[in-house]
Amino acid sequence: MRSGFLRTHVDFLLLGSIVPLVSVGLLTMNSFTGDAHFFSRQIIWVLFSLLVCIGLSFIDFRFLRRTEPIVGVFMLAVTLLSSLFLFGKTVKGSTSWLEFGFFSFQPSDFAKLTLILVLAKYFSRRHVEIANVRHIFVSGLYAGILCFLVLLQPDLGSAVIISLIWFGMVLVSGISKKHLLAVFLIGAVSFGLLWQFAFKEYQKKRIMTFINPTADIRGAGYNAYQSTIAVGSGELLGKGIGYGTQSRLNFLPEYETDFIFAAFAEEWGFVGVIFIFISFSIFIWRVLSNAKRGESNFEILFGAGFAIWIMSHFLINVGMNIGVMPVTGIPLPFVSYGGSHTLITFVGLGILMGMSRYKRVVHKENMQNEFLGL
C-alpha cells in the first residue's frame, strides 16, 4: 500500500535527473578547492534540502488555492526583502543576505518562488478572462513590487529572473497578441527608466560589456573573457578532472558559483556540456509532465512557472559563461554552490511533487500524445 502511495507522487525520474547535476557541481568544487570548504558544505545543503523536498511532497497543497495563505506568503517575501535595508549583509556591493549565525539566507530566491505561487493563484482564478489587459497590469504590480525591492539591493540578476517569471507566466496564461506587443513596449520603457535612474555604474558596464565583450577585458569584461577562454579550452573531451588551468591558476573567478559551468566545461569539454544539457532537458520535461496533469489551473500554472524559473537560471548562467549574456551573478541550479538557492529550489520541487499527489490520471490512450506534446 505504501509503495503504491509513493508511486503516485514521487517522480523518481525527476529526482534522478538532478543527481548528475548535483554530482557535476560537487565534483567541480572538489577539483580545485584544497580545503574542500565548498564541497563539504554543499553536500550538507543538498542532503538537508532533499529531506525538506521529500517532506513537502507528502503535503496536500490545495490549501494554497485560497487567498489568505498566498497573501501571507507574499507579505513574508516583502518583509524579508525590506528587512535587508536594516539587517542585510553587504557582499561585493550588494546587500542581498540576511545572516542567522552560521547560516546566510538570500530573500530574493524566496521572492522568486513566491511570485510563482502568487501568479499561479491569480491567473488560475481569471484564466477565462486573461485577455483583459487589466489582469496583465495587476499581475505586473505583484512582480513589480518584488522586482523593485530586489533592484534596490542592488541585485540586477534576480530582478531579471523575477521579470522573466512574470513574463513567461503571462504568456502561458493565454495573453492576446496585441497585449503581447504592449508588454514589450512597457518592458522597453521600463528598461530605459531603469538605465537612467536605477542601474549602478558597474551594472551599466556589464551590459555594455555584453554588447562588446572585448572593450574592457581588464575591467568589467574580465570575468566573461576568462570564462569564454575556459569553455573554449575544454575542446571536445576536456583537460581532465583537476587540470583546468583557468580555475587552478585562479584566472577564472568564482568557479564554484557563477562560473562553475565554465570550470566544468574546461575539464570535461563538449561531451560534458552535452551531458549537462541532457540532464537539464530531462528535468524540465518531467516538471512540465507533472504540470500538464495538474488537477486545476493552479497546479498547472505553478509547474509552468517553476519550469520557467529553472530555465531562466540555466539559460542566463550558461549564456554569461560563454559570453553571450551579461554577467549578472545568476547561479546554475543544482550545480552552483549556494545554500539558500539550493534550499529554495528543492522547496519548489517539493511543492510540485506534493501537488502530483492529486494530479489527474493520464489514460494509456493519451500517453503517446503526452510524450509527443512535450
Side-chain angles (χ1 to χ4, degrees), residues 39-57:
F39 175 78
S40 58
R41 293 195 64 176
Q42 186 68 359
I43 287 180
I44 296 173
W45 275 116
V46 168
L47 292 176
F48 175 72
S49 300
L50 182 60
L51 290 175
V52 171
C53 173
I54 294 175
L56 289 172
S57 71

Side-chain angles (χ1 to χ4, degrees), residues 220-232:
Y222 177 82
N223 291 357
Y225 178 70
Q226 295 298 333
S227 177
T228 55
I229 290 177
V231 173

Side-chain angles (χ1 to χ4, degrees), residues 16-311:
S17 67
I18 298 173
V19 173
L21 296 173
V22 172
S23 301
V24 160
L26 291 173
L27 190 61
T28 305
M29 292 174 207
N30 198 42
S31 296
F32 302 107
T33 308
D35 59 2
H37 170 72
F38 292 105
F39 175 78
S40 58
R41 293 195 64 176
Q42 186 68 359
I43 287 180
I44 296 173
W45 275 116
V46 168
L47 292 176
F48 175 72
S49 300
L50 182 60
L51 290 175
V52 171
C53 173
I54 294 175
L56 289 172
S57 71
F58 287 90
I59 298 176
D60 188 334
F61 286 101
R62 279 177 282 199
F63 74 92
L64 290 176
R65 297 176 187 174
R66 302 197 304 269
T67 300
E68 292 79 8
I70 292 297
V71 171
V73 173
F74 183 77
M75 294 307 299
L76 176 60
V78 171
T79 300
L80 289 173
L81 289 173
S82 301
S83 66
L84 286 170
F85 306 111
L86 296 176
F87 310 107
K89 176 184 177 181
T90 301
V91 178
K92 297 181 180 179
S94 180
T95 309
S96 303
W97 300 88
L98 292 174
E99 281 198 332
F100 301 96
F102 65 93
F103 169 53
S104 295
F105 180 73
Q106 192 170 16
S108 60
D109 289 316
F110 180 70
K112 298 167 190 174
L113 180 60
T114 296
L115 181 62
I116 295 172
L117 288 167
V118 169
L119 294 183
K121 169 67 171 63
Y122 184 83
F123 289 136
S124 66
R125 294 288 299 272
R126 297 161 179 84
H127 190 67
V128 295
E129 56 177 10
I130 190 60
N132 190 326
V133 70
R134 175 174 65 91
H135 298 310
I136 299 174
F137 287 105
V138 173
S139 64
L141 178 62
Y142 292 125
I145 292 173
L146 299 176
C147 191
F148 177 73
L149 291 173
V150 169
L151 278 173
L152 288 179
Q153 296 176 15
D155 185 354
L156 175 62
S158 293
V160 170
I161 296 295
I162 289 173
S163 300
L164 289 175
I165 289 172
W166 170 76
F167 182 70
M169 293 191 70
V170 166
L171 287 180
V172 300
S173 297
I175 185 176
S176 67
K177 289 184 172 58
K178 63 179 181 179
H179 293 155
L180 178 61
L181 177 60
V183 170
F184 275 118
L185 292 176
I186 292 171
V189 173
S190 299
F191 180 80
L193 293 174
L194 290 172
W195 180 273
Q196 189 68 28
F197 302 107
F199 288 169
K200 301 294 184 181
E201 191 61 33
Y202 78 91
Q203 293 171 327
K204 292 182 179 180
K205 286 184 178 180
R206 284 182 175 179
I207 296 174
M208 293 305 297
T209 301
F210 162 62
I211 299 174
N212 185 12
T214 60
D216 186 19
I217 60 175
R218 295 184 179 274
Y222 177 82
N223 291 357
Y225 178 70
Q226 295 298 333
S227 177
T228 55
I229 290 177
V231 173
S233 64
E235 298 183 341
L236 181 61
L237 298 177
K239 296 179 178 179
I241 301 176
Y243 290 96
T245 54
Q246 293 300 110
S247 302
R248 180 178 286 275
L249 300 178
N250 293 321
F251 290 114
L252 181 65
E254 301 180 38
Y255 52 80
E256 71 282 345
T257 53
D258 298 348
F259 295 99
I260 197 167
F261 176 84
F264 176 79
E266 185 179 23
E267 290 187 334
W268 292 82
F270 182 73
V271 173
V273 169
I274 294 299
F275 176 75
I276 288 184
F277 274 66
I278 291 174
S279 297
F280 267 107
S281 298
I282 294 173
F283 177 78
I284 296 299
W285 164 60
R286 294 308 301 171
V287 169
L288 294 177
S289 178
N290 279 277
K292 282 183 63 176
R293 293 188 292 249
E295 185 181 62
S296 70
N297 285 333
F298 175 72
E299 287 80 15
I300 294 172
L301 288 168
F302 176 82
F306 185 75
I308 291 168
W309 176 24
I310 299 300
M311 285 191 294

